[in-house]
Amino acid sequence: MTISSAYIHIPFCQQICHYCDFTKFFYNERLADEYLDALYQEIHTYIPQEKAKVRTIFVGGGTPTVVTHKQLEKLLTMIDEHFDVSTCEEYTFEANPGDLDMEKVKLLKSYGVNRISLGVQVFDDEMLEKIGRVHRVKDVYTNIDRLMQVGLTNISIDLMYALPGQTVEGFEKTVDEAMQFGLPHYSSYSLQIEPKTVFYQRYKKGTLVKPPEDDEAEMYELLQRKLTANGVNQYEISNFAKPGFESKHNLTYWNNDYYYGIGAGSHGYMPGKRTINIRPLPAYVKQAMENGRPILHEESVGLKEQMEEEMFLGLRKASGVSLVGFERKFGRTLNEVFKGAVPNLKQRNLLIETEGNVRLTERGKLLGNEVFQEFLLDS
């Protein structure tokens, strides 16, 4: 059994963004101390003895860097105690611009963190305020400068489009400014209005209006065009990288490989099962401290589900799904399993078959959900 990655969730934020539906809570120093103790128990239950060798570690949130220096060092120490960081190819921390003072930057670097993912979203102070972000554009410049000073140059930034009041011209300005940094990785997501968010409540009341679908599609195409022209290639529906800087951790998900999911609300994938952890903070802490297994739900993943997920996840990648790889993994050809799905999608110009792979066309990327439906198997 090879578990290639670990995702560790830190659910605290200084402020809750209006669009966010991840497991998150307002930062409180006492609660964060209790949470880190519980997190230690959960990690120790998975890895009680010698350090686990994993290819990637991703510490996400929430905002992992919102904690105090002492708490951040405690977190880094417990990760170092349980995982062989020296052999880890990619060790990522998410951060909000403005959270990273020089002391925290040096601390991350000293514990082997080699990649930073910054939640920039837009280069527009007025828009940042509208979507509930606490940082401002100047903070992005300050934090990237600090990271560069200590040699943490493998930086990714997140951008958002189809935000309320956002125009194609406004998003183009954001992309142009983002490109000026010459970073190796960019992620970009359209706004999804999720239940239990501020934006959802406004949407239900009719006070929130997204840009027209045509504008959203134009923003996405603009993003693809500008990044590709600058040598930052699209390797997944929402992700772009210079050659060699594709996110190894995210490829764990899209390659349907196994990973630990640790922390409140985290999802994990182990041989034969997927797990979802308890979300509410007090319940997570209580269960983790009692037995180190704060699992809310565990479901078996049979052959049918594995084959469906291979397609849903694999087709997100620009390279698509390998026909030979599918047959090697499942002992049956892709066309045997999904019958007429591929010819049908090729005819509709949503899928293309090249060099032994099936992958989404440009139109298919815009209509991904229509494609994925074709790879649902009958029970």
Side-chain angles (χ1 to χ4, degrees):
M1 177 183 80
T2 302
I3 300 173
S4 59
S5 297
Y7 173 79
I8 299 168
H9 190 74
I10 307 299
F12 299 105
C13 291
Q14 187 180 343
Q15 182 170 314
I16 306 301
C17 300
H18 296 344
Y19 52 82
C20 179
D21 74 330
F22 293 135
T23 303
K24 74 277 182 191
F25 306 93
F26 284 110
Y27 173 74
N28 171 291
E29 190 171 346
R30 179 186 59 80
L31 285 177
D33 277 331
E34 290 177 3
Y35 182 79
L36 290 174
D37 289 339
L39 196 70
Y40 182 94
Q41 294 301 323
E42 185 184 3
I43 297 175
H44 196 67
T45 301
Y46 281 117
I47 306 155
Q49 293 173 321
E50 63 185 78
K51 293 183 179 186
K53 289 184 184 294
V54 289
R55 190 170 178 235
T56 72
I57 299 168
F58 193 105
V59 184
T63 312
T65 51
V66 77
V67 297
T68 65
H69 294 84
K70 185 179 176 183
Q71 289 170 335
L72 182 59
E73 184 154 27
K74 182 176 181 176
L75 172 61
L76 288 160
T77 302
M78 78 170 74
I79 293 170
D80 187 65
E81 183 181 326
H82 291 92
F83 296 97
D84 187 351
V85 173
S86 67
T87 62
C88 182
E89 295 176 27
E90 184 184 272
Y91 184 1
T92 303
F93 253 72
E94 281 187 339
N96 276 348
D99 282 346
L100 293 172
D101 59 32
M102 189 53 89
E103 192 178 342
K104 284 184 179 177
V105 169
K106 288 178 177 176
L107 195 59
L108 292 167
K109 171 82 170 172
S110 70
Y111 275 87
V113 174
N114 58 19
R115 186 174 182 271
I116 299 292
S117 177
L118 282 177
V120 172
Q121 316 315 354
V122 288
F123 285 90
D124 178 335
D125 283 346
E126 189 179 337
M127 183 68 72
L128 286 168
E129 190 168 345
K130 282 182 182 176
I131 63 177
R133 301 291 294 183
V134 292
H135 80 271
R136 294 297 175 259
V137 172
K138 64 179 173 57
D139 297 320
V140 180
Y141 285 82
T142 303
N143 277 187
I144 288 179
D145 182 57
R146 284 177 185 153
L147 292 166
M148 293 288 191
Q149 281 183 50
V150 302
L152 270 171
T153 57
N154 190 358
I155 301 168
S156 174
I157 61 175
D158 288 351
L159 304 173
M160 291 187 74
Y161 60 96
L163 294 167
Q166 190 178 39
T167 62
V168 174
E169 293 74 24
F171 182 62
E172 183 171 16
K173 178 182 173 295
T174 276
V175 174
D176 287 343
E177 194 159 350
M179 291 307 304
Q180 287 178 13
F181 290 100
L183 299 176
H185 192 283
Y186 296 85
S187 298
S188 192
Y189 308 94
S190 68
L191 173 66
Q192 303 299 311
I193 299 173
E194 304 286 358
K196 299 180 182 176
T197 64
V198 172
F199 274 175
Y200 181 76
Q201 298 307 322
R202 292 179 184 173
Y203 181 73
K204 293 286 280 185
K205 291 175 185 173
T207 59
L208 180 143
V209 180
K210 286 184 65 178
E213 283 186 11
D214 285 352
D215 283 5
E216 182 175 339
E218 193 174 339
M219 290 180 200
Y220 182 60
E221 288 163 358
L222 178 151
L223 177 81
Q224 290 175 305
R225 187 173 66 253
K226 292 217 168 215
L227 268 66
T228 302
N230 280 275
V232 187
N233 303 319
Q234 185 173 22
Y235 69 99
E236 190 270 345
I237 286 176
S238 302
N239 287 270
F240 302 77
K242 291 181 179 177
F245 288 92
E246 298 82 2
S247 170
K248 294 181 174 69
H249 184 83
N250 286 342
L251 284 165
T252 296
Y253 303 144
W254 304 319
N255 290 332
N256 210 16
D257 293 333
Y258 300 128
Y259 58 92
Y260 298 104
I262 297 162
S266 290
H267 292 230
Y269 182 34
M270 315 290 265
K273 64 182 179 183
R274 288 195 182 272
T275 58
I276 302 173
N277 274 0
I278 296 167
R279 283 178 70 118
L281 205 56
Y284 169 84
V285 169
K286 181 174 184 290
Q287 191 69 24
M289 293 303 288
E290 282 179 3
N291 64 14
R293 287 182 55 79
I295 293 173
L296 172 68
H297 181 65
E298 188 172 290
E299 64 179 10
S300 297
V301 179
L303 184 62
K304 168 183 169 290
E305 288 81 15
Q306 288 178 49
M307 291 189 293
E308 288 175 340
E309 289 171 1
E310 190 78 10
M311 301 308 297
F312 302 158
L313 297 166
L315 284 172
R316 290 188 62 90
K317 298 181 294 180
S319 60
V321 176
S322 163
L323 298 175
V324 171
F326 186 96
E327 187 173 0
R328 187 183 300 125
K329 199 167 188 177
F330 300 111
R332 297 169 66 190
T333 69
L334 193 153
N335 286 322
E336 275 182 278
V337 174
F338 295 105
K339 308 223 168 15
V342 172
N344 175 34
L345 290 166
K346 283 164 68 176
Q347 189 177 358
R348 291 162 60 194
N349 192 31
L350 296 173
L351 212 62
I352 190 170
E353 188 175 329
T354 56
E355 298 174 356
N357 286 26
V358 289
R359 57 184 178 84
L360 296 175
T361 60
E362 292 305 314
R363 184 165 179 266
K365 289 173 187 173
L366 293 170
L367 301 171
N369 287 339
E370 285 189 32
V371 177
F372 301 149
Q373 284 176 6
E374 293 291 321
F375 294 102
L376 283 170
L377 293 166
D378 295 331
S379 300

